[in-house]
Amino acid sequence: MAKYDVAIIGGGMGGCIAAALLSKLGKKVILLEQGPELSGRAMDFPYKDGYTLELGGHLIVDDGSGISRICEYLGRPFEIGSDNDCLPFWKEDQWHYIEDLYNIDKSEIKKIIKEIVNTDFEEFDKYDNIPVRTWLKARTDNEGIITLYETLSGLEFQTSDWWDNSASEFLWMRKCHYMNKQTAAYSYWPKGGPVKIIESLIDLIKSNGGEVRTNARTLEIVVDNYKVRGVKIQAPKLTPNEYPEPEMIEADNVLSTVSIWSVMDIIPENILPNWYESKIKVLAQDIFRSSWIGFYAALDKPVYAKSPKEISGWLDGPLTHQGGYYYLQSEIEPASAPEGKHLAICGSFVRNPLDMKNKKWLAEKMDLFEREMDIMLPELKDSLWKSRHLVFDCSVFNKPGLVGTARPANKCPNVEGLYFGGDGFQGRGCGLDRTSRTSLTCVELILGERIEELKDTPHIIPSK
Ligand SMILES: Cc1cc2nc3c(=O)[nH]c(=O)nc-3n(C[C@H](O)[C@H](O)[C@H](O)COP(=O)(O)OP(=O)(O)OC[C@H]3O[C@@H](n4cnc5c(N)ncnc54)[C@H](O)[C@@H]3O)c2cc1C
């Protein structure tokens, strides 16, 4: 008999949620993380001068039916901190409240909301291959509604081609938000940050008897005669030139939550059907990574367009002509800046992520973006310091043709006991919430049954 019921690869939010659910439900689990810390992309980082930089997962896009509901079920609810109170929008050389900018016909938008709310979640699958605009155009000519929705989808999915987001993803999320929060889009900061949620989950996994190992890089998923046997992990090196035998961890099931960009590194060659492997490789192309350049800015006083708690956006920056976002992290998480100081974050979406490999292009674009921010928010010129960053690993674009069944299914089609979660495989939603809902799907697949208490959490239903 294998040592573990389930080996879970990856200690980000997806892996932690899955391990917490499985251990609560009596499975013997081991969670394996290659790095020294758990949290994956949702990491915070103590920076200089008492500032803390949030490297990923700034805001959770969850209407209460996803990650927060799952954590409640686990008995580890987290406290919801601040949410953004408005969305100022830069257009024609000034800031506007987005709702003032467009003439939105109220009866027209109510009709659309009603249709979204009354459509079954599964029915949105039909719109996997069309952009939001195409779906909307069949229902309204009101440019205000179209622009509002396209701006939301651009911000949620960091798409530089803001007109090129999949209608299915967008409508699926709008249904959740309209149903449970009576608003088009709802996001919030979890008090203490995503890392605090992870810490609580790790504590739960351990108290349920689960094992958690860091510095445990999976080298290969071990498959024998199309059945999973476990994983081989890197054994510690005791001398710099030692080449130790990998350690074998036996498990009846393996759930990988590693990103779509690195999952092929741990799958033995010629194991997957070629059509399934191709789906992974298509999505893992650099051209489909949602990417941006940006900077953090330390400030003596808060700088904003309309409200300190805003998240502001634009589709056509005055110099880069790209979309982007700006907000004050210290307003939603005061601990991110020292007393009396403030921390801002902003980014400019990159149309072609391949450009980011070109150092000259990068340097020029970063200069241009800083000058662009000085035009839109001139007080940023007085920043105490700025720290530039580039993001190349946020997520895979939710563009038409790259979502729904274009994504590889969570259960490996030909290897018994092998499952794939994380935010790149099949699933719906955004970022941290998405990977959590996908973990729920994977856990139900492994259990072979639905978790009754979570049947109202929208996610891909395993029987499909
Ligand atoms: C800059 C940035 C900003 C973001 N902003 C937001 C936001 O505002 N809201 C939001 O919801 N989401 C946001 N995201 C996305 C969000 O962070 C991710 O969707 C989410 O963290 C994915 O979680 P995951 O568990 O699926 O994957 P990951 O967090 O990537 O976890 C996978 C883990 O697997 C480990 N791993 C990889 N290979 C191996 C191996 N061979 N062996 C063992 N372990 C391995 C990795 O080290 C990692 O810890 C942002 C991301 C970035 C980068």
Side-chain angles (χ1 to χ4, degrees):
M1 207 169 67
K3 212 167 155 200
Y4 298 96
D5 295 321
V6 193
I8 298 134
I9 312 170
M13 189 63 83
C16 291
I17 289 274
L21 285 170
L22 287 162
S23 65
K24 176 183 164 89
L25 294 166
K27 295 290 173 196
K28 192 159 185 236
V29 300
I30 183 163
L31 178 67
L32 301 163
E33 166 56 42
Q34 67 179 356
E37 307 286 344
L38 297 145
S39 77
R41 271 170 275 167
M43 188 187 296
D44 57 29
F45 193 84
Y47 197 58
K48 61 179 179 180
D49 307 338
Y51 290 86
T52 300
L53 306 185
E54 185 63 37
L55 298 194
H58 312 299
L59 292 164
I60 295 187
V61 186
D62 164 32
D63 55 291
S65 68
I67 180 172
S68 54
R69 175 72 197 93
I70 296 172
C71 287
E72 265 169 38
Y73 164 72
L74 287 168
R76 296 296 168 121
F78 56 85
E79 227 183 312
I80 290 181
S82 292
D83 50 4
N84 299 117
D85 61 3
C86 70
L87 171 54
F89 190 71
W90 178 269
K91 193 168 191 253
E92 284 154 12
D93 300 333
Q94 55 180 307
W95 291 107
H96 308 261
Y97 287 107
I98 195 158
E99 52 276 35
D100 293 347
L101 194 57
Y102 299 105
N103 178 18
I104 293 182
D105 180 337
K106 289 248 163 48
S107 61
E108 194 88 342
I109 200 164
K110 275 191 189 151
K111 198 181 72 188
I112 287 174
I113 294 171
K114 197 166 166 201
E115 181 175 346
I116 294 174
V117 171
N118 289 338
T119 303
D120 288 341
F121 281 107
E122 288 73 23
E123 261 199 71
F124 293 131
D125 297 356
K126 286 193 299 209
Y127 309 119
D128 275 340
N129 296 325
I130 60 164
V132 182
R133 177 170 284 255
T134 306
W135 186 88
L136 281 169
K137 273 285 193 187
R139 287 154 180 88
T140 182
D141 284 328
N142 188 297
E143 272 301 317
I145 297 175
I146 295 172
T147 309
L148 173 68
Y149 279 7
E150 285 185 337
T151 306
L152 284 179
S153 65
L155 281 175
E156 276 172 350
F157 296 116
Q158 299 88 27
T159 317
S160 52
D161 296 333
W162 42 269
W163 40 267
D164 198 20
N165 275 302
S166 147
S168 59
E169 288 291 322
F170 179 78
L171 296 167
W172 194 94
M173 284 173 62
R174 294 297 70 79
K175 175 167 167 127
C176 290
H177 293 207
Y178 281 129
M179 266 180 23
N180 297 315
K181 292 288 173 200
Q182 290 74 47
T183 181
Y186 181 78
S187 58
Y188 59 83
W189 173 255
K191 265 205 178 144
V195 170
K196 190 156 179 219
I197 303 176
I198 302 248
E199 281 166 5
S200 172
L201 294 174
I202 295 297
D203 178 64
L204 176 67
I205 297 163
K206 288 181 179 166
S207 62
N208 285 337
E211 219 175 300
V212 178
R213 282 175 66 174
T214 51
N215 297 313
R217 186 157 81 88
T218 296
L219 298 173
E220 191 170 86
I221 297 169
V222 181
V223 175
D224 190 8
N225 203 16
Y226 296 96
K227 177 163 182 2
V228 126
R229 271 193 46 220
V231 297
K232 276 186 187 163
I233 65 167
Q234 172 84 59
K237 281 186 189 186
L238 301 181
T239 66
N241 62 353
E242 193 174 22
Y243 192 77
E245 280 274 298
E247 179 185 343
M248 177 71 195
I249 306 243
E250 286 185 32
D252 290 331
N253 299 280
V254 170
L255 167 58
S256 161
T257 67
V258 313
S259 73
I260 194 107
W261 307 297
S262 37
V263 71
M264 287 310 297
D265 298 346
I266 56 172
I267 298 175
E269 252 176 68
N270 301 322
I271 277 289
L272 299 180
N274 58 3
W275 58 267
Y276 187 82
E277 186 172 321
S278 303
K279 282 188 177 196
I280 298 176
K281 288 181 172 167
V282 166
L283 291 167
Q285 292 176 90
D286 287 350
I287 190 83
F288 295 141
R289 288 170 180 250
S290 80
S291 308
W292 65 91
I293 53 168
F295 61 87
Y296 302 89
L299 302 159
D300 264 330
K301 58 177 190 168
V303 174
Y304 53 87
K306 298 279 187 194
S307 156
K309 287 209 168 149
E310 72 193 17
I311 177 156
S312 54
W314 53 93
L315 298 179
D316 181 14
L319 298 180
T320 63
H321 300 292
Q322 289 295 321
Y325 72 93
Y326 171 91
Y327 71 92
L328 281 165
Q329 171 75 11
S330 50
E331 286 296 319
I332 58 164
E333 177 56 279
S336 63
E339 185 83 30
K341 304 284 182 210
H342 306 269
L343 180 68
I345 304 181
C346 54
S348 172
F349 307 141
V350 170
R351 177 144 209 285
N352 179 357
L354 298 176
D355 285 338
M356 294 170 84
K357 294 182 191 273
N358 178 335
K359 286 190 184 128
K360 186 165 173 284
W361 181 93
L362 260 184
E364 282 170 10
K365 265 289 179 290
M366 285 183 163
D367 284 345
L368 198 66
F369 180 50
E370 281 196 24
R371 281 190 277 125
E372 174 166 284
M373 288 310 301
D374 289 346
I375 294 173
M376 294 193 284
L377 293 167
E379 289 164 294
L380 284 178
K381 283 186 191 142
D382 303 327
S383 301
L384 301 167
W385 51 257
K386 284 181 186 156
S387 160
R388 290 177 172 185
H389 60 264
L390 56 94
V391 175
F392 195 50
D393 60 353
C394 178
S395 58
V396 177
F397 280 134
N398 275 347
K399 294 191 175 202
L402 299 181
V403 297
T405 52
R407 300 226 171 177
N410 306 105
K411 186 173 183 343
C412 181
N414 63 330
V415 178
E416 202 188 320
L418 180 55
Y419 303 87
F420 296 100
D423 62 356
F425 282 74
Q426 263 182 35
R428 295 259 195 234
C430 180
L432 293 159
D433 184 55
R434 179 191 192 101
T435 193
S436 306
R437 291 179 198 255
T438 303
S439 285
L440 174 58
T441 301
C442 293
V443 166
E444 290 182 335
L445 281 165
I446 292 169
L447 296 172
E449 59 187 15
R450 303 282 308 275
I451 299 176
E452 186 59 22
E453 294 90 332
L454 293 175
K455 71 178 187 332
D456 294 332
T457 288
H459 61 291
I460 307 287
I461 306 300
S463 58
K464 282 187 70 194

